[in-house]
Amino acid sequence: MRHIIFLFLFLFTIKLSAQKAYLINVEDRNKAIELTNTAIACIKEKKQAKAISFLLESISIDSTYRASYINLYQAALLNKQSFDQVLTFLNKGKKIFHDDDEFYFYCGEIYRFYSNLEMAIQEYTQATKYAKVNGEDYYLVPYHYFNLGNCFLTKKDFLKALENYKYAIKLNPDFAAAYVNKGTCLKMLGKNEEACKDWETAVQKGSMQAKKYLEKYCTK
C-alpha cells in the first residue's frame, strides 16, 4: 500500500512521504471523494468539461486526495486540448505525492504527446526510479519502460531503446508491442535474425504489425 491513512474522529493524518504528513478534515475529504466520483461518472459519459470542473474543485478542497489527480488525467484523454492545464495540476500533485511513479508517468505521456522528448525522458526515468520502490507489479510499470524506450527510438538511440524494451518485456512477457519495437531496434542495429525472432514472438502474442514486418524483412 503506497499511502497510509490514520483516521481520528473529525481529522485524519495522511502520510504521503517520509518527510511530510498532512492533517485533513474528514468533511473536506468526503466532499473531495463525492466530487471525484461525480467526475468519474462524467468521464464515462464523455462529458470532459464537467469532469474537469468537478476534479479541480475537489483538488481545491482537498489537495491530498490522490484520485482527483489521476482522474484529471483520464478526463484529459477525452480531449487533449486540456493537457496543458492538467500538466500544471499533475506537477502540483508531484509536490505532495513526490515519490508516486504514476504522476511522473502521466507527465511523461503529456510531454511525449507534445513531442518534448527530453522532458518526457526525464519524467519516465523518474517514474521507473520510484516504481522500483513502490512495486513493479503495478500494471502501468511496463509502460514506464516501453514509452521511455519509444522516446529513445524516436531519437534513434537504439541501444537505450532496446534496454528499456527488454525491461518492459521482463515485467510483462506478453507485451506484444514491446517485442515489435525491440525487433525494430535490433533491425536498425543490423541484427536481422534476432529482430525476426522478436517479430515472430510478437505475432504469436497477437501483433498484426509484427506480421507485416515478418513478411517484409524476414521472408526468404
Side-chain angles (χ1 to χ4, degrees), residues 6-211:
F6 301 94
L7 189 59
F8 297 104
L9 296 178
F10 299 106
L11 295 174
F12 66 89
T13 300
I14 181 169
K15 184 179 180 182
L16 300 177
S17 69
Q19 293 76 31
K20 295 183 180 180
Y22 297 83
L23 194 63
I24 306 302
N25 183 288
V26 172
E27 291 183 2
D28 289 344
R29 172 52 57 91
N30 288 339
K31 183 61 176 178
I33 292 172
E34 179 184 346
L35 287 165
T36 299
N37 288 340
T38 302
I40 291 170
C42 290
I43 292 171
K44 291 179 180 178
E45 296 172 2
K46 300 189 184 303
K47 297 177 180 178
Q48 186 207 36
K50 287 186 176 181
I52 289 179
S53 177
F54 286 126
L55 291 166
L56 293 182
E57 184 180 355
S58 174
I59 292 170
S60 72
I61 292 171
D62 180 359
S63 62
T64 67
Y65 185 48
R66 181 180 183 274
S68 299
Y69 298 94
I70 300 303
N71 284 287
L72 187 61
Y73 175 78
Q74 299 303 322
L77 293 176
L78 297 173
N79 182 352
K80 296 181 176 63
Q81 290 181 351
S82 61
F83 264 173
D84 280 339
Q85 183 182 32
V86 171
L87 183 60
T88 297
F89 280 88
L90 286 175
N91 280 320
K92 176 181 178 179
K94 284 194 300 185
K95 294 178 182 178
I96 300 171
F97 302 89
H98 78 277
D99 59 351
D100 192 316
D101 53 282
E102 194 166 353
F103 279 71
Y104 291 91
F105 173 71
Y106 290 143
C107 287
E109 294 286 86
I110 294 174
Y111 283 123
R112 190 165 65 93
F113 172 78
Y114 286 127
S115 298
N116 188 339
L117 296 181
E118 295 305 323
M119 284 301 299
I121 288 170
Q122 180 177 314
E123 297 289 343
Y124 289 137
T125 300
Q126 287 294 98
T128 63
K129 171 186 172 182
Y130 291 125
K132 289 185 181 300
V133 177
N134 297 329
E136 293 187 318
D137 55 341
Y138 189 53
Y139 81 99
L140 275 179
V141 177
Y143 291 93
H144 297 359
Y145 290 92
F146 178 71
N147 286 343
L148 180 55
N150 288 341
C151 290
F152 286 123
L153 181 59
T154 301
K155 288 169 63 69
K156 301 186 186 304
D157 190 337
F158 303 118
L159 288 175
K160 287 185 179 179
L162 185 63
E163 177 184 348
N164 282 283
Y165 294 137
K166 285 180 178 179
Y167 203 85
I169 291 168
K170 177 182 177 182
L171 295 176
N172 179 8
D174 293 321
F175 202 157
Y179 283 102
V180 174
N181 289 6
K182 179 170 173 274
T184 298
C185 290
L186 291 167
K187 172 69 177 176
M188 299 305 295
L189 292 169
K191 299 181 179 182
N192 294 353
E193 185 174 345
E194 292 180 49
C196 292
K197 288 181 180 179
D198 273 332
W199 291 332
E200 287 174 359
T201 301
V203 168
Q204 293 170 7
K205 297 182 183 299
S207 172
M208 296 304 297
Q209 185 64 51
K211 185 176 181 180

